[in-house]
Amino acid sequence: MGIVAGLDSSPDFTRIVVCDADSGAVLRQGYAPHPVEGRPSDIDPQAWLLSLGEAAGGGLLEGVQAIGVSAQQNALVPLDAQGNTVRPALVGGDKRAQVAGADLLDALGGREAWAQAVGSVPQAAAPVTKLRWLAKNEPENARRTAVLLQAHDWLVWQLLGRPVRRTTDRGGASSTGYWSAATGGYRPDLVELALGHQAMLPEVIGPSEAAGTTPEGLLISAGTGETMAAAFGLGIGLGDAVVSLGASGSVMAVHPEALADQSGMITSLADATGMHLPVVTTLNAVRTLRGAAELLGAADLDALSDLAMKSTPGAHGLVLLPYLEGERTPNLPHTAGTLAGLRRESMKPEHLARAAFEGMLCGLGDALDVLRGRGVDVRRIFLLGQAAELPAVQASAPSLFGAQVVVPQPADYAAIGAARQAAWALGVSQGTLDPRTPPAWQGAAAQVLEPGDELAVGQAVRQQFTAVREQTHPGAFHS
């Protein structure tokens, strides 16, 4: 079928992979950082184009027939009636917008009202919250805002030569806070609630549809958000969940329907294939390990892992509730961490190290249980992030999660997912692929870990963790 490219414009850089359209084999790749210092909350979208141009240098895209675009979610690009940016794009988890989020929460009537409307509660990062911030803090810019795009929408539009038609996909739209994954439609009333007036919104096209063709004849697929692209690049399907170990953690799974959750713990996103991606976030993942390493004088996370491996499952009765920055799952924003089960024989560095790993994983196990409790099938768990390679994580995760754990080799899964989407759109346009069935690319190379004989031990550790959590924060998951 030829060759396709996927580009991922993340918060820090652009990465491009060129793949064989049939097998998904990566043939060549390019990379360039955005020409920006640090990670600002405001960024001129032209920076994304500059790094894209640099990453594509040296004839990287020669012979490519279709391109897919993945980009950071939550970036809001406000345009005026002429299509010019009104102000720099608002990106990332913008702390400035926290008050605006609380404001919007009240304006619609609370968490349940938002969950029913769009499947998520407005957080500081969400575009709808940033719109409210704009209206309150930059009223003149808000007044001039006529069109709302996200990062991948804007990049696709630029690649196509800024046509009259502007498009997005379900995945990207589902993270705006003004599109409902359950109904598959926009809520313009929420745009007006946030911005103070209506604005033009991009047309949501299907997963295998093309956004258009460049004057040179290059097909551009729908594009999607980074989370959805990474899930598509990994090749996850029904029965699969992904646990991401960053400073904070997230758990997402593929599900056939949208989940509305009045507690606000589940964010109901759409994926890049026509299915749904419910996501549950924990505030404390690898930051728990970094804190423990500092406390114990361990040089790095590898040293902490080595220390933890000298202990045994259950850490001699030590239980760490890792709510160091407060917590979102369960919703305990103002709490602190708790160390329970201290006895003279358990007061050893290796036991505390083990308790830190188990506490982090049990917290993510709680997040998994939120999804399981809503009928989400979880048979296999993909573990992502640098900490997924640590022996102490790999030794404990399968038995604590109660499922097979897959640790994929590090790769640019968002860019690969964007390329797979491009191959799908290309195949559909040529009549060689079904618009309902994506190309069957080879899955990620990975280590597979089974709970095996350790399952009962892991579940006992989970029960110990749950008992301490219930004692310390009674009804935290039921309030």
Side-chain angles (χ1 to χ4, degrees), residues 64-80:
V64 165
Q65 294 166 276
I67 292 182
V69 177
S70 147
Q72 58 179 305
Q73 276 145 254
N74 301 321
L76 176 71
V77 188
L79 304 180
D80 64 18

Side-chain angles (χ1 to χ4, degrees), residues 127-275:
V128 72
T129 311
K130 289 169 176 160
L131 281 182
R132 181 67 153 207
W133 179 89
L134 193 64
K136 289 278 196 257
N137 294 277
E138 299 178 4
E140 183 50 32
N141 284 338
R143 198 182 56 73
R144 287 174 52 223
T145 298
V147 182
L148 301 176
L149 296 180
Q150 288 175 282
H152 93 257
D153 312 338
W154 187 85
L155 284 164
V156 164
W157 184 59
Q158 295 291 331
L159 289 173
L160 290 171
R162 297 164 61 111
V164 173
R165 181 190 190 216
R166 298 179 185 95
T167 61
T168 189
D169 88 307
R170 299 167 66 253
S174 69
S175 52
T176 58
Y178 43 79
W179 184 86
S180 164
T183 65
Y186 280 117
R187 288 289 301 264
D189 57 316
L190 299 182
V191 173
E192 191 165 343
L193 182 72
L195 185 62
H197 61 86
Q198 292 290 348
M200 278 189 67
L201 302 169
E203 178 189 341
V204 181
I205 62 176
S208 60
E209 283 182 65
T213 309
T214 68
E216 301 77 39
L218 189 63
L219 189 87
I220 309 290
S221 64
T224 195
E226 225 168 13
T227 300
M228 300 78 192
F232 197 42
L234 279 167
I236 68 168
L238 288 172
D240 291 335
V242 177
V243 173
S244 294
L245 300 174
S248 52
S250 71
V251 175
M252 65 178 177
V254 180
H255 198 54
E257 58 195 39
L259 297 176
D261 174 49
Q262 64 194 48
S263 72
M265 281 192 288
I266 298 174
T267 298
S268 195
L269 299 176
D271 79 347
T273 71
M275 301 287 266

Side-chain angles (χ1 to χ4, degrees), residues 167-396:
T167 61
T168 189
D169 88 307
R170 299 167 66 253
S174 69
S175 52
T176 58
Y178 43 79
W179 184 86
S180 164
T183 65
Y186 280 117
R187 288 289 301 264
D189 57 316
L190 299 182
V191 173
E192 191 165 343
L193 182 72
L195 185 62
H197 61 86
Q198 292 290 348
M200 278 189 67
L201 302 169
E203 178 189 341
V204 181
I205 62 176
S208 60
E209 283 182 65
T213 309
T214 68
E216 301 77 39
L218 189 63
L219 189 87
I220 309 290
S221 64
T224 195
E226 225 168 13
T227 300
M228 300 78 192
F232 197 42
L234 279 167
I236 68 168
L238 288 172
D240 291 335
V242 177
V243 173
S244 294
L245 300 174
S248 52
S250 71
V251 175
M252 65 178 177
V254 180
H255 198 54
E257 58 195 39
L259 297 176
D261 174 49
Q262 64 194 48
S263 72
M265 281 192 288
I266 298 174
T267 298
S268 195
L269 299 176
D271 79 347
T273 71
M275 301 287 266
H276 294 269
L277 270 184
V279 181
V280 180
T281 306
T282 69
L283 288 183
N284 301 280
V286 176
R287 65 163 46 99
T288 307
L289 304 183
R290 295 206 185 286
E294 278 177 40
L295 182 66
L296 294 167
D300 54 24
L301 296 188
D302 288 304
L304 186 74
S305 173
D306 292 345
L307 192 58
M309 292 300 281
K310 292 177 181 163
S311 180
T312 50
H316 271 243
L318 278 191
V319 175
L320 177 66
L321 299 184
Y323 307 151
L324 310 181
E325 303 281 321
E327 190 45 85
R328 265 187 69 180
T329 307
N331 186 29
L332 298 166
H334 308 299
T335 194
T338 303
L339 183 62
L342 280 171
R343 296 180 187 278
R344 178 63 194 89
E345 63 272 17
S346 64
M347 294 177 78
K348 290 185 177 168
E350 59 266 32
H351 303 322
L352 181 53
R354 182 88 187 200
F357 280 96
E358 291 178 347
M360 173 186 79
L361 292 169
C362 285
L364 288 158
D366 280 349
L368 268 169
D369 286 348
V370 169
L371 294 177
R372 285 173 166 143
R374 293 295 305 277
V376 177
D377 184 23
V378 178
R379 291 191 299 273
R380 184 171 64 155
I381 293 165
F382 285 75
L383 202 54
L384 302 186
Q386 282 177 314
E389 303 287 336
L390 297 171
V393 169
Q394 297 192 0
S396 305

